[in-house]
Amino acid sequence: MEILPLVFTAIATVGLYACFYRWVQHRNLRGPRVWPILGSVLDVSRNHWRMHDYAYDYCKKYYPTYVTKMPGFNYVVTVDPANVEHVLKTNFSNYDKGEEQHLHLGDLLGDGIFNADGDIWKKHRKVASYEFASKGLRDHSFHNFKNNAVRLCQILDRAAEENKPVDMMDLMLRLTF
Ligand SMILES: *[C@@H]1O[C@H](CO)[C@@H](O)[C@H](O)[C@H]1NC(C)=O
């Protein structure tokens, strides 16, 4: 008997078993329905054109915090303020951006504050916080931000009333500047 088909069959069996095992582990997570191998791809791709609304509706209808299983990675969605505080404040150090992001965004962002973890991040954060701590700057930015936010809302309101599309990229870039 040829050995190759046997090896392939063995590998396929182990692979299928691993998929099944993962599915059994994950199918009861709080989140959209999980299928073997595909995870929640079906649900997500049906809603890919309205991801934000979809996530928000899901949180409102089912769980304020839920897991979406995708092939190769999971992501967690939350609208629970306690969890947001945990991630962004109390336990921030548990949530590194990680090697992968650092690698992919390295060319663009280098070791800047948006792409650094740990001590480098702390250093950037300290420098930035001095910059933003001065009352003059804070008042000035608040004033500007408020005025521009009001202008943005007026533009969006008008566009909504007239049912016209707007170039969000352009608007947001101008708002940022
Ligand atoms: C979160 O932070 C608090 C206070 O710093 C700590 O007591 C707690 O063990 C941390 N929890 C986790 C899951 O790391």
Side-chain angles (χ1 to χ4, degrees), residues 86 90-91 94:
H86 170 89
T90 11
N91 299 73
N94 293 354

Side-chain angles (χ1 to χ4, degrees), residues 135-152:
K135 185 165 156 29
L137 181 67
R138 214 168 47 219
D139 291 349
H140 178 75
S141 1
F142 179 74
H143 180 76
N144 272 341
F145 186 81
K146 194 183 73 182
N147 287 349
N148 287 326
V150 169
R151 278 176 61 196
L152 175 67

Side-chain angles (χ1 to χ4, degrees), residues 81-92:
N83 286 337
V84 176
E85 187 176 6
H86 170 89
V87 173
L88 293 183
K89 193 175 162 201
T90 11
N91 299 73
F92 180 72

Side-chain angles (χ1 to χ4, degrees), residues 40-152:
S40 303
V41 165
L42 295 181
D43 232 37
V44 170
S45 55
R46 252 202 306 271
N47 289 284
H48 76 275
W49 54 279
R50 54 183 292 275
M51 272 322 286
H52 188 264
D53 289 334
Y54 163 69
Y56 181 69
D57 290 347
Y58 195 92
C59 286
K60 254 180 42 179
K61 199 163 166 201
Y62 302 103
Y63 311 105
T65 301
Y66 71 87
V67 180
T68 301
K69 282 279 318 153
M70 301 295 271
F73 66 99
N74 306 340
Y75 62 84
V76 178
V77 175
T78 186
V79 293
D80 183 346
N83 286 337
V84 176
E85 187 176 6
H86 170 89
V87 173
L88 293 183
K89 193 175 162 201
T90 11
N91 299 73
F92 180 72
S93 58
N94 293 354
Y95 298 91
D96 277 357
K97 296 173 195 84
E99 278 303 308
E100 182 122 351
Q101 172 175 336
H102 190 258
L103 191 74
H104 291 314
L105 293 179
D107 286 343
L108 184 63
L109 300 174
D111 280 326
I113 190 164
F114 296 116
N115 205 30
D117 285 316
D119 288 342
I120 302 181
W121 181 84
K122 272 195 196 134
K123 208 172 90 190
H124 283 305
R125 164 73 210 257
K126 205 162 174 186
V127 173
S129 73
Y130 285 134
E131 248 168 75
F132 288 104
S134 100
K135 185 165 156 29
L137 181 67
R138 214 168 47 219
D139 291 349
H140 178 75
S141 1
F142 179 74
H143 180 76
N144 272 341
F145 186 81
K146 194 183 73 182
N147 287 349
N148 287 326
V150 169
R151 278 176 61 196
L152 175 67

Side-chain angles (χ1 to χ4, degrees), residues 6-20:
L6 206 67
V7 170
F8 278 134
T9 312
I11 291 175
T13 310
V14 171
L16 275 181
Y17 180 74
C19 286
F20 179 73

